[in-house]
Amino acid sequence: MPVLPLPPLLPLLASQLLSLQPLGPSSLAMGSPWWEDYGITEQFLCPDQRRVTLERNDAQASLIAGRFRSTLFREASDLPGLRYRNEQMTLILKGDVLTMEQLSRRLECLRTEQV
């Protein structure tokens, strides 16, 4: 399959997928700490073929991309989908589409499997 050039929107992935924080080596091997109690883990495929993992529960979510992680908190909203937000970005989960928004940038990733 040929490699297509990235659209102009996707430099945000090159900037460590929307400012995600690096994980320590022990976090990579073990996943989230047990006390965070994420009940749902899902994987998504983004336009540049990068996979991201979303761990979530009713109160918060953790977005993991490679060695980087960002924690977001559930946002009450009348708009469709589940919404999680932190000071840098908003995640919107509607069906099989995970939308990541930061300022005027937007990236949509598709669910690949339930882990």
Side-chain angles (χ1 to χ4, degrees), residues 3-97:
V3 176
L4 300 174
L6 294 178
L9 174 63
L10 296 184
L12 74 128
L13 277 180
S15 68
Q16 304 305 333
L17 200 64
L18 300 169
S19 306
L20 298 176
Q21 301 300 313
L23 294 170
S26 61
S27 297
L28 289 172
M30 301 186 62
S32 295
W34 63 269
W35 61 83
E36 289 184 356
D37 192 25
Y38 293 113
I40 301 169
T41 300
E42 301 162 303
Q43 289 190 354
F44 295 85
L45 185 62
C46 299
D48 71 343
Q49 302 302 308
R50 176 177 262 186
R51 288 185 183 271
V52 297
T53 299
L54 180 67
E55 299 177 330
R56 63 185 174 91
N57 58 32
D58 289 336
Q60 67 185 45
S62 183
L63 181 66
I64 304 165
R67 296 182 40 239
F68 298 90
R69 173 187 305 263
S70 185
T71 300
L72 303 96
F73 296 93
R74 182 78 181 267
E75 179 179 72
S77 175
D78 292 333
L79 297 171
L82 297 175
R83 294 172 179 271
Y84 297 89
R85 178 184 301 265
N86 66 16
E87 63 278 352
Q88 295 151 345
M89 76 174 127
T90 300
L91 297 180
I92 304 164
L93 180 61
K94 287 193 291 190
D96 289 336
V97 178

